[in-house]
Amino acid sequence: MYEHITTVRVRYAETDQMNIVYYGNYAQYFEVGRAECIRALGFTYKKMEEMGVRMPVVAMESRFLRPARYDDLITIKTLLRTLPEAHEICFEHEVYNENKKLLTTGKVTLYFIDNATNKRTGMPADLKETLAPYFPQ
């Protein structure tokens, strides 16, 4: 399993009239978690595109347990529980507040898409090689 942690300060624009993070903004928090997770492995979405692969989101689910509020420092834990074998990669996310209370969980599924053909493809070999040590067999 591979795990990455990043933090984000909740901005005023991300909250509703009740001073609570609007539910739609969690998709952006999950994206920050994924992007930083991939960056920590030495890759970026830009680098993936230069390697000929895009990663569109094809499914997302969320569960909201407690609210995050303006100016909270939230922690986004991003987990890869399995090493992708085909064209699909699933990131799980857990969002915590400063008191380490679990606020929200989510799962985001993306496909690896070949830029030239617009067809599903496997994970780039370099990324798979980098992730493999986290998934001993």
Side-chain angles (χ1 to χ4, degrees), residues 13-81:
E14 298 166 344
T15 62
D16 59 19
Q17 289 179 323
M18 297 177 289
N19 198 34
I20 292 173
V21 170
Y22 176 70
Y23 76 95
N25 287 318
Y26 284 91
Q28 291 180 44
Y29 295 152
F30 296 163
E31 183 176 358
V32 168
R34 284 193 316 279
E36 294 306 316
C37 174
I38 291 169
R39 184 182 311 280
L41 292 166
F43 295 84
T44 62
Y45 281 117
K46 182 178 179 180
K47 183 176 179 179
M48 299 282 280
E49 289 172 0
E50 290 168 356
M51 295 167 67
V53 174
R54 291 190 317 270
M55 293 174 60
V57 171
V58 297
M60 185 179 99
E61 57 186 67
S62 302
R63 184 156 185 215
F64 305 101
L65 308 169
R66 295 176 183 85
R69 300 178 187 283
Y70 168 65
D71 208 37
D72 284 354
L73 183 63
I74 57 173
T75 298
I76 306 162
K77 182 190 291 187
T78 303
L79 303 118
L80 267 175
R81 295 194 188 274

Side-chain angles (χ1 to χ4, degrees), residues 67-97:
R69 300 178 187 283
Y70 168 65
D71 208 37
D72 284 354
L73 183 63
I74 57 173
T75 298
I76 306 162
K77 182 190 291 187
T78 303
L79 303 118
L80 267 175
R81 295 194 188 274
T82 59
L83 183 63
E85 293 296 326
H87 63 273
E88 184 176 282
I89 186 168
C90 295
F91 291 90
E92 293 182 31
H93 301 280
E94 298 172 353
V95 180
Y96 295 87
N97 66 15

